[in-house]
């Protein structure tokens, strides 16, 4: 299994999401990306055998940049963490075809539950 985690936020929410992921997935199976360039580079490499991507779009600019490379997410199950609940943000987020959307302000319990469910399905 290879899990991709993208977050430019190293402290606070970014660290908390990462710790939830690391509780359930061995560290050697997690690719952590902190820049759009490194994320894009990995998505363009072969083999693209990623089991799941967790993407934290911390700002509108990051979400826009993700939309520019949305074709790279094709065939990769995606959990998307959006910066806010504005209708425009949600609409843009859906263009990435995520399996699930979480918001930065929705609390970590929701993410933890969804993440556990998806990982459980991938393992079986």
């Amino acid at each position: 299994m290879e899990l991709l985690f993208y977050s430019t936020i190293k402290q606070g929410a970014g660290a908390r999401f990462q710790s939830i992921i690391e509780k359930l997935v061995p560290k050697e199976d997690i690719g952590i990306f902190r820049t759009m360039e490194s994320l894009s580079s990995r998505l363009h490499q072969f083999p693209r055998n990623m089991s799941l991507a967790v993407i934290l779009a911390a700002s509108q600019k990051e979400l826009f940049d993700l939309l520019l490379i949305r074709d790279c997410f094709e065939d990769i199950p995606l959990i998307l963490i959006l910066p806010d609940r504005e209708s425009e943000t949600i609409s843009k987020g859906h263009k990435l075809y995520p399996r699930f959307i979480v918001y930065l302000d929705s609390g970590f319990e929701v993410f933890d539950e969804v993440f556990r469910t998806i990982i459980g399905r991938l393992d079986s």
Side-chain angles (χ1 to χ4, degrees):
M1 168 194 286
E2 182 181 355
L3 183 137
L4 184 148
F5 176 61
Y6 170 78
S7 173
T8 58
I9 304 172
K10 295 180 183 179
Q11 309 298 318
R16 184 72 190 270
F17 285 115
Q18 184 175 336
S19 72
I20 292 169
I21 291 167
E22 289 175 344
K23 278 191 244 176
L24 297 171
V25 178
K27 286 187 181 187
E28 62 269 9
D29 291 344
I30 304 170
I32 299 173
F33 300 89
R34 301 290 184 196
T35 66
M36 192 60 62
E37 293 77 21
S38 65
L39 174 65
S40 179
S41 176
R42 174 57 189 105
L43 290 171
H44 284 95
Q45 290 176 4
F46 289 96
R48 287 189 46 204
N49 56 349
M50 286 153 262
S51 302
L52 179 65
V54 177
I55 304 295
L56 193 162
S59 68
Q60 291 294 326
K61 178 172 180 354
E62 280 187 22
L63 183 56
F64 177 79
D65 291 344
L66 289 164
L67 288 171
L68 293 175
I69 61 169
R70 72 175 162 229
D71 292 345
C72 295
F73 291 107
E74 196 172 291
D75 303 325
I76 302 171
L78 173 66
I79 296 175
L80 181 60
I81 305 163
L82 291 175
D84 59 59
R85 297 170 186 261
E86 299 293 323
S87 60
E88 183 178 340
T89 303
I90 295 167
S91 177
K92 287 178 185 176
H94 278 287
K95 291 179 182 178
L96 293 170
Y97 300 104
R99 295 266 173 103
F100 196 79
I101 293 177
V102 181
Y103 305 95
L104 275 175
D105 68 352
S106 63
F108 301 102
E109 298 80 24
V110 173
F111 175 78
D112 187 35
E113 185 177 324
V114 168
F115 186 72
R116 285 177 188 276
T117 301
I118 291 174
I119 290 297
R121 288 181 185 158
L122 291 174
D123 285 341
S124 60

